[in-house]
Amino acid sequence: MTPRADWINTTHDWAASVDHEHLELVRAKPELYAPGGVLHLLLEVLAYPGDEAESTGRRPECSVELHADGSIAVTDYGRGTDTRVDEHGNVVKKPVMATKDLRFFEDPEAPLLPDGHPRRGMSVVAASSEWLVHTNRRTNGSWTQRYELGVPVTDLEPIPTDGTTGTTVHFLPLPHLAPLFG
């Protein structure tokens, strides 16, 4: 098996599980990284089913649930977040929630989301949320993990496979961000 440190980085750095400095930067500058508040966070999450669909040549398909507590759950029906087994036999999920997106975060030419602001990546959503639960279903297994302020607070926990693939990102934005529907 190839050691984790040698895995090819495409969208995120596989060698790092959490980038605390990056997450703190996002929280310190919400006007820059989450302009428009909750709507921008939702658009960041919705961009991923679009990526998934583009990579497989299909139309993006997802569902959005608005919960009474102010949390939002977005479920897509793609392949699920890349998950690999390291040289020690541990399951490792691509660190999309806790590290910066290498494609967009610092790119002045990052694509614009429908709100007219640049795309920065899922870590912006995680860092800007009291909590976020990422449920990931792939053909090789299913797992869930909880984050608080972008930092994992649980291990990657296996869950029963139900025959589907895709992801659910369920998050509660920080209170100072404007509600989705005011």
Side-chain angles (χ1 to χ4, degrees), residues 115-179:
D115 63 358
H117 297 289
R119 186 170 175 193
R120 300 293 185 212
M122 289 298 298
S123 61
V124 169
V125 179
S128 302
S129 296
E130 289 185 38
W131 55 262
L132 181 149
V133 176
H134 182 197
T135 302
N136 186 36
R137 297 184 180 281
R138 291 187 55 91
T139 57
N140 64 338
S142 299
W143 304 268
T144 192
Q145 189 166 30
R146 182 182 171 96
Y147 299 77
E148 293 178 4
L149 300 174
V151 178
V153 295
T154 65
D155 290 332
L156 195 58
E157 298 171 353
I159 58 174
T161 300
D162 65 3
T164 65
T165 60
T167 61
T168 298
V169 176
H170 187 183
F171 64 102
L172 179 64
L174 290 169
H176 68 275
L177 297 172

Side-chain angles (χ1 to χ4, degrees), residues 1-8 14-16 83-92:
M1 281 185 196
T2 305
R4 181 175 176 179
D6 293 340
W7 291 350
I8 295 172
W14 281 92
T83 306
R84 302 176 183 177
V85 177
D86 71 10
E87 66 273 23
H88 307 291
N90 300 314
V91 176
V92 179

Side-chain angles (χ1 to χ4, degrees), residues 30 32-47 111-121 124-125 171 178 180:
L32 179 62
Y33 298 115
V38 176
L39 175 60
H40 186 79
L41 300 180
L42 177 58
L43 293 172
E44 287 280 7
V45 177
L46 290 171
L112 300 180
L113 293 170
D115 63 358
H117 297 289
R119 186 170 175 193
R120 300 293 185 212
V124 169
V125 179
F171 64 102
L180 184 56

